[in-house]
Amino acid sequence: MRSYSIAILTMLALAASPLYALDGRQIMEKSDALAQPKSVRAAVLMLVEKGGRVEEKEFELVGKKYGNDEKALLSFSRPTSIRLLTHTYKGRDDDQWLGLSSGKVKRIALADSDKPFVNSHFYYEDLKSRDIDDYGYTLIGDAGAGGVDCYKVEAAARSKKLVYDKAVFYIDKTNFFVMRIDIYMRGGLHKYLENHDIRKVNGILTPFRAVMHSADGRGKTELRIKSVTYNVPIADSQFSKEALR
Amino acid sequence: MLDKYIRFIISRPGATVLAIVLITIAFGTGLPKLRFDNSLDSMMPSKDPEYLRNEEVKKIYGNNGKFIIMDVAPDRLWSGARLLEFESLIGDIEEYRDFDGTREAERRRAFLSVTEHAPVGRDELLARFENDPAYRRLLSRKITGLFGEEHSLDRSRISTLARELERSATVRSERLVDRILSPFTMKDLSGRNDTLSAFDLVERGEDGRRQVPTSGKSIAELRSRLSANPAFAKGIFYRDPASGEISDFGVLVRLLDVRDYDGITSEMQEIARSHPDLHITIQGIPVLYHQINSYMQHDLRLFMPLVMLVMVLIFFLNFRSLLGVALPFITLVLADIWVLGLMGHLGGKLTVIGISLPPLMIAVGSSYSIHILNRFALDTQLIRSRGPVQGIRISMNTIAVTLILASLTTMIGFATLVTNQVSAIREWGLYSAIGTLFAVLIAASLIPALCICLPGAVQGLGREGKSSGKAPVDVITAFMAHLATIHTRAVMIVVAGILVLSGIGIGFLKTETSISAYFHDDDTINVSARLIGERFGGSLGLNILLDSGRTDGVKDPGFLQTVEEVRNWLLSDGNAAFQIGRTDSFTDVIKRMNMAMNNDDPAAYAIPASATDIADYLEIYSGDDLNSDGRADDFEPYVDHEFRTVNLFARMYEKEGAPLSTSRLNEIIASIRAGLSPMLHERGYRLAISGEPLIITRLAKHVVRGQLMSLFLSLAVVGLVVSLLFKNWKAGLVSLIPIGVAVTMNFGLMGWAGIRLDIATAIIASITIGIGVDNTIHFLNTFRHFRSAGSDLDEAIRATLSTAGRAIIYTALALILGFAVLVVSSFKPIIFFALLVGVTFIATTTGALLILPAVIKYTGVDLAESTSDSRFWKYFYIGRLFNIENQNTIEGGSQ
């Protein structure tokens, strides 16, 4: 359970702030350089489709940058009222707290980034901020995704410690926005993310619908942005441990 | 029709032999395809409602009954050296879960690069895999398994080793290991100091490898972590009650749901053997099946030479000539190749009763050979005077009816088993019926053909100069004739007495289909099952399904409290008779999370009172859900994907040596139902039970039902066929008397001796009827001949016994001794089977030689062919097809 501030960005704008700087490294760097928000407030609907059932989850997301650091609060309203507060620091481990519906607060020291986030198809790994140098990038061709022409860039993990072996990015040739990511684990395609309904909000490209599919077609998790505002003033007290009670 | 066939064989003996050789080769190619299968799945009727329900349960909760469990109990468990060895064990098992095709290809290349210049030293080869310890250990144990401690590997050994490595790689590539539960692979939660953390019990380093505790501090930390979670006790460790210390580790290897676990089980057993210092005891249903397969192969290797030897002795006793031994011997070997080869081609599998097929075919085949050769021996003079072609033709015509009638009724006896719901019994019936047909075809074709091809062959079978005085067989038949004709009333009284006693014994008969009952009590399998049961709760799993009645009802604390109440009730001292050693439940996870949320307070290892807390726990539980069915994979064995029903998985074992027999399982399941249903119903919940124990009890019901069905059916069909063959209804009824007495005796004896009706003993009645009726037919056919020739009743009985009696006794001897070798089997049912077959064959032989003539004499029944020319007999007198009248004339003539 690390780096929920980036979780926010992943959910709202996995593409607006492409997590991977790639290339042909140049392509990925361009993608990485797209405009990013200083703060965000959003209402998100999460639809988890598994075993023929669709479970709806709803949460509010509040995030703010503090120089190189970030703070984010994720407050679920459905199906439970858990809250997750994350302080992300550059160069050291993140701090994270969990607030239960009952008001009980626990510091979290969980370490498994290859585990599902709230039983969805997103892993904690998907929500982490990443170092562009973790992967080596190769332009492997062109392909269509989301109805646009894309560069197809393969990112190969440089360390065995990383959860994913490799990822293939589909990047819009016109604006360097990530339209799709194929994610590989243990030598095989594990899942893929598709961004849809991409709009510009306050000058920031934002996918209003992002769908993570499991590769075997057995399930998917869809994130729908109900509302989003960027660069709005947010009180620092919202990111304190006491705010969880 | 018969004569035409015999003429064809005799006129083309070379072509006949060649055809048989070619057919044998064709069937023989099926032998390598023959597989063993002893799973209950292979026996259960696929439409049985309980079986179908169990399949449904397996779809929802996985095949949680299929696991291999290891008790690891080394001396000084808590030393660094032992823990490192344990890490090697886990690493070896993980190879079967985490197979990586690319890595395997690299290993293969490395192996080939070292071994291309043979010979290669063992150490040299192992050194090549210095950085791949798991593969190095795999190589080492394979080399040891194949060549012992031999150090040099020449080209031939390298090829053998390469083949074995390929086989092992195939097993690993199947990735049948789903999960490994052990102190080195499990995770746990902690909530101390208001900090929630999930951690591996043995943590991994930067390189991803487990950091095996070897220092005093790290070992103490592991002990403390194991003790912190109450669910781990008797799950992944066992605490010695005397010292209170953790003395054993448990390793539970959960397997995916497949049909054949033989390969993976064999590999797991090999791994366990390769760590002798860890003192590993291995158990589980797949291990039981594997052990049965091993024993079966061992039994087959042991039986076949023994059966052959017995047959050679009987043939020699009967014919006293090399050819008299060789001809029937070849016949019965071919009969085995044909039927087993056919099974291989058709995908048939050898089950625990299937291994009786080879000796059965040998026994049946030998009886037909004995009939034919005995006839030739009796007709030596005829054959000499008329020449081999004409003489053998007449002789074959004489015996053909007996052969056809005997084989036909035998086939009917076996074929009625195809009505059985138990697939193993059904297949046995089908293949034994086909095998009987093969045996008679081969005997009736090959023996005459070879006798024509080999000049002087028949003369070698002649009895002249080979016997001095009366043979013991003749003494026996004369004695039987004396009893039947002079002491008829006494014989009838004794038979009636036996029937009454048997009837009482049948009342005590019990059914048994439990797998553990296959083995002797002191067999390693049963000993280890008891040990694993005591320490880790057993390997026979019962799914106790508690339905909350609504979607997400499992998240209700009231329901989870009920689940806990049920668990406690099942494990209470008052219910020790349930023989449940451990239960696993979804509530373990909830209780552990609740404890973590309350600073690891042991008092909080309980179901939380608030439904919101439970919902929160499930929301933050970050378990993999690789099949996207809506449940964390950890939950799959214990809760359905709608969170409506909990599967309380109860593991049973033979507590304090009390056997988990079928009847005991029935009682336990009934008691659980009776004890829980009212309470659950009152609270709006429902109970369902499934799992291997239930399948065992259902199988028993099918065995009994099938037994009764095939028994009456085969009696009816055999009686009908004999009536139609002899054109006399009374003959049909009379033919049932000796076999009826034998079957009644068989079940009565089983009841009195406490031998249970199981998969193997269930087929005895059909064997008794199928083979036993041969003697009756042989007797009736000969008896009628003498009566129609003008002999009075007593004379006809005496003449029949002196003529047909010899063949009847020798074939009975072959059958009894043929089956008797099965008493060296490793399976109890097979041993009882062999003993009972012996007893019932003695009974059917006595029935034909004593009871049948006594009944005929006592009742004065007229067995002559009906003179009726009604329409019925016009169409249904099937004896006409076999030229019975004509044959009787020939038989009379040849004698």
Side-chain angles (χ1 to χ4, degrees):
Chain A
M1 287 189 195
R2 282 186 287 190
S3 216
Y4 278 84
S5 59
I6 299 304
I8 302 159
L9 298 179
T10 303
M11 290 166 194
L12 289 184
L14 192 79
S17 172
L19 302 178
Y20 301 88
L22 326 161
D23 168 349
R25 175 126 179 157
Q26 286 176 325
I27 297 168
M28 292 309 291
E29 280 173 353
K30 278 180 182 290
S31 183
D32 205 29
L34 290 173
Q36 292 184 31
K38 299 278 186 212
S39 67
V40 60
R41 182 181 295 275
V44 181
L45 177 67
M46 179 188 260
L47 303 169
V48 183
E49 192 177 316
K50 286 182 171 184
R53 295 172 78 196
V54 179
E55 189 181 12
E56 291 191 8
K57 300 172 195 254
E58 203 160 351
F59 59 85
E60 189 198 42
L61 174 66
V62 184
K64 189 174 177 181
K65 283 206 167 189
Y66 292 84
N68 286 327
D69 301 337
E70 296 170 10
K71 292 181 181 177
L73 176 65
L74 200 63
S75 304
F76 278 84
S77 53
R78 281 198 294 162
T80 63
S81 306
I82 54 169
R83 280 142 294 143
L84 293 160
L85 173 65
T86 307
H87 292 182
T88 308
Y89 308 107
K90 184 86 176 174
R92 70 178 172 97
D93 288 345
D94 303 344
D95 284 328
Q96 196 165 58
W97 294 268
L98 166 72
L100 293 183
S101 307
S102 61
K104 203 175 273 181
V105 175
K106 286 277 172 186
R107 191 169 178 279
I108 294 179
L110 300 175
D112 293 334
S113 48
D114 62 343
K115 296 296 175 200
F117 169 68
V118 292
N119 302 317
S120 71
H121 293 85
F122 288 92
Y123 285 2
Y124 288 107
E125 176 74 5
D126 302 323
L127 315 179
K128 281 166 62 178
S129 56
R130 274 163 233 278
D131 191 332
I132 192 170
D133 294 326
D134 280 349
Y135 290 82
Y137 303 96
T138 314
L139 177 62
I140 55 172
D142 298 337
V148 297
D149 284 343
C150 294
Y151 296 114
K152 202 171 167 186
V153 179
E154 183 179 287
R158 286 187 165 148
S159 160
K160 288 197 169 181
K161 282 168 64 184
L162 294 168
V163 171
Y164 301 133
D165 310 337
K166 86 176 176 186
V168 175
F169 289 81
Y170 298 72
I171 294 172
D172 188 334
K173 286 185 177 176
T174 58
N175 58 13
F176 293 97
F177 194 83
V178 176
M179 299 299 295
R180 172 182 165 130
I181 311 173
D182 295 341
I183 298 165
Y184 291 77
M185 238 176 130
R186 295 180 207 112
L189 179 64
H190 186 62
K191 56 188 183 180
Y192 59 95
L193 177 87
E194 287 177 333
N195 285 321
H196 303 277
D197 191 11
I198 295 145
R199 303 179 208 165
K200 222 167 202 174
V201 179
N202 299 344
I204 294 165
L205 285 169
T206 306
F208 273 63
R209 222 159 57 81
V211 187
M212 183 70 91
H213 300 260
S214 64
D216 57 14
R218 287 179 170 182
K220 64 182 180 188
T221 295
E222 183 174 333
L223 297 172
R224 286 187 195 163
I225 295 177
K226 293 169 73 178
S227 65
V228 60
T229 49
Y230 292 121
N231 302 323
V232 289
I234 297 169
D236 292 344
S237 60
Q238 289 219 12
F239 303 111
S240 70
K241 191 179 155 188
E242 284 65 36
L244 292 174
R245 296 191 191 278
Chain B
M1 189 173 81
L2 269 178
D3 191 47
K4 277 184 190 165
Y5 179 75
I6 293 164
R7 276 171 194 267
F8 179 84
I9 296 294
I10 288 170
S11 60
R12 297 172 184 82
T16 302
V17 173
L18 183 66
I20 288 174
V21 169
L22 291 176
I23 294 171
T24 304
I25 292 169
F27 279 128
T29 55
L31 289 176
K33 298 177 191 168
L34 206 52
R35 294 285 177 271
F36 293 89
D37 187 358
N38 294 294
S39 60
L40 287 179
D41 290 343
S42 74
M43 299 181 190
M44 273 303 284
S46 56
K47 289 179 183 164
D48 178 88
E50 288 296 346
Y51 173 76
L52 291 174
R53 189 211 298 258
N54 196 48
E55 289 301 299
E56 280 302 310
V57 168
K58 276 164 42 177
K59 274 186 206 155
I60 297 169
Y61 303 100
N63 196 3
N64 49 14
K66 293 290 173 5
F67 56 83
I68 292 172
I69 183 165
M70 297 183 194
D71 170 53
V72 181
D75 300 330
R76 300 179 59 243
L77 171 66
W78 290 105
S79 67
R82 288 291 177 270
L83 294 176
L84 283 167
E85 182 79 15
F86 187 72
E87 164 64 14
S88 299
L89 169 72
I90 298 299
D92 289 345
I93 299 170
E94 284 174 333
E95 285 281 305
Y96 297 79
R97 184 192 61 187
D98 307 328
F99 178 81
D100 178 341
T102 312
R103 184 181 55 180
E104 200 60 27
E106 285 168 13
R107 288 167 165 177
R108 198 175 287 125
R109 278 194 294 277
F111 176 82
L112 290 174
S113 74
V114 180
T115 55
E116 66 183 343
H117 304 295
V120 177
R122 175 194 185 113
D123 294 341
E124 184 188 348
L125 178 59
L126 295 182
R128 175 65 182 76
F129 296 94
E130 196 68 55
N131 297 322
D132 186 356
Y135 197 69
R136 184 187 155 93
R137 289 192 297 273
L138 183 142
L139 263 179
S140 175
R141 64 175 183 265
K142 294 289 176 196
I143 294 171
T144 305
L146 290 169
F147 317 119
E149 293 307 313
E150 188 58 51
H151 280 270
S152 177
L153 303 171
D154 58 18
R155 183 131 322 272
S156 148
R157 282 186 170 147
I158 285 168
S159 317
T160 309
L161 178 60
R163 277 196 302 276
E164 176 58 19
L165 291 174
E166 275 307 307
R167 198 195 57 73
S168 170
T170 305
V171 175
R172 277 178 288 132
S173 70
E174 290 167 352
R175 292 183 181 143
L176 292 181
V177 172
D178 180 26
R179 300 196 66 197
I180 304 166
L181 309 184
S182 79
F184 279 22
T185 49
M186 293 286 281
K187 288 174 179 295
D188 200 12
L189 278 175
S190 168
R192 261 174 278 175
N193 304 322
D194 271 333
T195 299
L196 196 62
S197 59
F199 52 86
D200 293 310
L201 290 175
V202 174
E203 282 166 10
R204 291 180 182 272
E206 288 292 306
D207 57 359
R209 290 184 180 172
R210 276 185 290 268
Q211 303 294 295
V212 179
T214 49
S215 67
K217 190 180 165 198
S218 58
I219 289 174
E221 175 65 18
L222 176 61
R223 280 174 123 145
S224 157
R225 286 179 168 187
L226 284 173
S227 302
N229 188 338
F232 289 160
K234 288 190 86 175
I236 55 171
F237 73 77
Y238 170 71
R239 208 180 280 282
D240 178 25
S243 65
E245 288 295 319
I246 294 174
S247 57
D248 303 35
F249 282 167
V251 181
L252 191 140
V253 183
R254 194 171 168 215
L255 302 172
L256 295 176
D257 188 19
V258 291
R259 194 67 182 263
D260 184 5
Y261 294 101
D262 222 38
I264 184 77
T265 310
S266 173
E267 296 280 307
M268 290 297 130
Q269 285 186 318
E270 190 180 82
I271 288 172
R273 280 196 300 272
S274 71
H275 296 280
D277 293 342
L278 292 178
H279 295 164
I280 298 171
T281 303
I282 184 165
Q283 249 292 330
I285 299 291
V287 176
L288 277 179
Y289 292 156
H290 180 71
Q291 198 60 40
I292 291 172
N293 285 348
S294 307
Y295 280 166
M296 272 169 57
Q297 289 171 36
H298 165 265
D299 279 5
L300 265 186
R301 278 195 296 270
L302 194 66
F303 290 155
M304 295 310 284
L306 273 173
V307 175
M308 303 279 187
L309 188 67
V310 169
M311 290 299 140
V312 165
L313 279 174
I314 292 167
F315 296 148
F316 186 76
L317 270 177
N318 197 343
F319 302 109
R320 312 276 173 98
S321 78
L322 183 64
L323 214 63
V325 172
L327 287 180
F329 189 78
I330 294 168
T331 306
L332 52 88
V333 169
L334 296 190
D336 258 339
I337 294 174
W338 284 29
V339 71
L340 294 178
L342 180 72
M343 277 181 84
H345 282 306
L346 297 182
K349 294 192 173 173
L350 277 179
T351 62
V352 71
I353 58 166
I355 53 165
S356 65
L357 266 177
L360 177 74
M361 285 305 105
I362 287 177
V364 170
S366 69
S367 86
Y368 301 137
S369 305
I370 288 172
H371 276 302
I372 294 172
L373 290 175
N374 255 328
R375 189 71 253 166
F376 290 177
L378 287 169
D379 292 342
T380 316
Q381 272 194 321
L382 173 90
I383 294 167
R384 192 182 296 145
S385 62
R386 304 283 285 268
V389 172
Q390 189 62 9
I392 285 177
R393 186 179 79 78
I394 296 170
S395 200
M396 276 302 292
N397 265 305
T398 309
I399 197 66
V401 168
T402 303
L403 282 183
I404 288 170
L405 299 189
S407 58
L408 187 66
T409 46
T410 302
M411 281 166 62
I412 291 167
F414 293 156
T416 54
L417 286 171
V418 299
T419 60
N420 201 299
Q421 293 282 303
V422 181
S423 52
I425 295 180
R426 198 166 55 235
E427 281 186 20
W428 189 94
L430 177 70
Y431 285 112
S432 54
I434 295 173
T436 304
L437 176 68
F438 285 166
V440 76
L441 262 179
I442 296 169
S445 311
L446 189 68
I447 293 178
L450 282 176
C451 284
I452 302 281
C453 289
L454 304 169
V458 175
Q459 305 311 321
L461 299 169
R463 302 211 186 283
E464 296 97 335
K466 288 188 181 172
S467 64
S468 53
K470 244 183 175 179
V473 175
D474 300 324
V475 175
I476 294 170
T477 53
F479 180 64
M480 294 286 188
H482 174 77
L483 288 179
T485 53
I486 308 299
H487 303 288
T488 316
R489 194 179 165 80
V491 169
M492 296 305 289
I493 291 169
V494 170
V495 169
I498 289 173
L499 285 175
V500 169
L501 277 175
S502 300
I504 296 168
I506 289 173
F508 304 129
L509 193 59
K510 285 191 175 156
T511 314
E512 183 57 75
T513 43
S514 159
I515 301 176
S516 62
Y518 286 2
F519 304 98
H520 295 286
D521 284 346
D522 57 354
D523 190 292
T524 329
I525 279 289
N526 279 335
V527 173
S528 63
R530 284 192 286 273
L531 183 139
I532 293 278
E534 292 294 339
R535 297 183 183 181
F536 295 102
S539 48
L540 190 62
L542 197 61
N543 300 302
I544 298 172
L545 302 163
L546 306 172
D547 181 358
S548 69
R550 62 184 173 90
T551 301
D552 287 333
V554 165
K555 298 172 186 173
D556 173 46
F559 177 73
L560 292 181
Q561 288 289 3
T562 302
V563 174
E564 284 298 282
E565 276 179 54
V566 170
R567 287 180 86 175
N568 295 336
W569 181 78
L570 289 170
L571 295 168
S572 63
D573 289 343
N575 288 327
F578 291 168
Q579 297 177 247
I580 294 173
R582 178 186 166 82
T583 56
D584 293 297
S585 163
F586 175 68
T587 48
D588 287 335
V589 180
I590 299 296
K591 289 195 296 182
R592 184 66 186 101
M593 285 189 85
N594 194 50
M595 185 172 151
M597 289 296 177
N598 289 280
N599 282 320
D600 277 359
D601 177 4
Y605 187 72
I607 303 296
S610 155
T612 315
D613 280 348
I614 293 171
D616 281 358
Y617 295 169
L618 292 176
E619 200 59 22
I620 60 174
Y621 187 89
S622 304
D624 279 322
D625 179 12
L626 295 177
N627 58 4
S628 280
D629 73 345
R631 300 167 290 177
D633 296 339
D634 298 339
F635 298 164
E636 279 186 17
Y638 310 118
V639 68
D640 68 335
H641 65 270
E642 288 184 346
F643 283 79
R644 172 186 167 132
T645 303
V646 154
N647 177 18
L648 191 53
F649 187 60
R651 278 154 52 179
M652 310 169 80
Y653 74 103
E654 302 199 334
K655 224 175 200 175
E656 289 160 10
L660 276 172
S661 61
T662 308
S663 55
R664 187 78 205 99
L665 288 172
N666 251 326
E667 288 163 13
I668 291 171
I669 292 166
S671 300
I672 292 175
R673 281 205 172 108
L676 291 178
S677 291
M679 180 266 275
L680 291 170
H681 183 72
E682 200 175 287
R683 299 182 190 187
Y685 308 138
R686 281 191 307 170
L687 170 75
I689 296 177
S690 79
E692 203 101 347
L694 208 76
I695 296 300
I696 290 170
T697 61
R698 292 293 299 178
L699 191 58
K701 284 181 188 160
H702 287 295
V703 167
V704 174
R705 199 177 298 163
Q707 173 66 243
L708 289 173
M709 170 79 103
S710 61
L711 185 63
F712 288 115
L713 189 63
S714 55
L715 281 173
V717 175
V718 164
L720 180 70
V721 168
V722 173
S723 297
L724 299 182
L725 282 168
F726 284 87
K727 202 181 174 186
N728 185 322
W729 293 111
K730 290 172 195 162
L733 287 174
V734 164
S735 71
L736 299 182
I737 292 172
I739 48 176
V741 171
V743 169
T744 313
M745 256 185 73
N746 165 53
F747 288 128
L749 187 69
M750 284 172 71
W752 282 112
I755 299 172
R756 302 192 177 199
L757 184 63
D758 57 31
I759 299 278
T761 51
I763 57 175
I764 292 176
S766 292
I767 293 180
T768 309
I769 294 167
I771 300 180
V773 78
D774 290 4
N775 296 333
T776 309
I777 287 171
H778 203 172
F779 179 93
L780 288 177
N781 203 26
T782 315
F783 173 78
R784 198 154 75 166
H785 160 69
F786 283 114
R787 284 291 275 164
S788 60
S791 304
D792 70 17
L793 196 59
D794 287 4
E795 277 174 13
I797 289 172
R798 273 194 290 274
T800 302
L801 289 183
S802 70
T803 314
R806 189 185 186 91
I808 288 175
I809 289 179
Y810 273 115
T811 51
L813 202 60
L815 291 165
I816 292 165
L817 295 179
F819 278 99
V821 299
L822 294 172
V823 296
V824 295
S825 170
S826 314
F827 300 112
K828 284 202 291 189
I830 296 290
I831 296 169
F832 291 139
F833 171 79
L835 291 173
L836 289 170
V837 164
V839 171
T840 51
F841 280 170
I842 291 171
T844 55
T845 308
T846 314
L849 300 182
L850 179 62
I851 301 172
L852 187 57
V855 168
I856 292 170
K857 162 94 183 184
Y858 189 75
T859 59
V861 62
D862 179 12
L863 297 175
E865 184 184 311
S866 168
T867 52
S868 165
D869 54 359
S870 68
R871 188 170 288 181
F872 177 84
W873 287 118
K874 190 177 166 190
Y875 292 115
F876 293 102
Y877 173 37
I878 55 175
R880 172 190 311 118
L881 299 172
F882 305 112
N883 301 326
I884 280 191
E885 286 175 52
N886 182 31
Q887 181 273 333
N888 276 341
T889 316
I890 293 168
E891 183 166 10
S894 73
Q895 283 168 359

